[in-house]
Amino acid sequence: MRFGLRTPSSRKSIAARTKGRATRAVKKAVVPGYGRKGMGWAKNPEKAAKTAVHHRTTRSIFR
């Protein structure tokens, strides 16, 4: 697991705002429970725990 500052990527930032937005809209309309808060804990608790720790221990240069 990584600690410390994240290095921003302009390519990934643009991709997250374009193609990802459309994909999420379709999935939210089709898959029940998709995009709801806390669904990660129901689907894969181990991964959700690691992600929660990662979000609390890393900082971005923007935040």
Side-chain angles (χ1 to χ4, degrees):
M1 187 178 292
R2 297 183 64 184
F3 292 94
L5 289 176
R6 289 178 279 165
T7 54
S9 168
S10 56
R11 181 184 60 82
K12 289 182 180 181
S13 180
I14 292 168
R17 283 181 274 162
T18 54
K19 191 258 181 190
R21 176 183 259 174
T23 304
R24 286 191 300 274
V26 170
K27 277 191 164 186
K28 197 159 187 165
V30 175
V31 180
Y34 178 83
R36 285 203 187 141
K37 189 171 183 177
M39 290 306 290
W41 287 98
K43 185 176 180 182
N44 190 343
E46 185 179 351
K47 183 177 179 180
K50 288 181 180 179
T51 300
V53 169
H54 173 75
H55 281 294
R56 287 177 175 87
T57 57
T58 57
R59 293 285 174 230
S60 170
I61 61 171
F62 301 116
R63 187 169 69 103

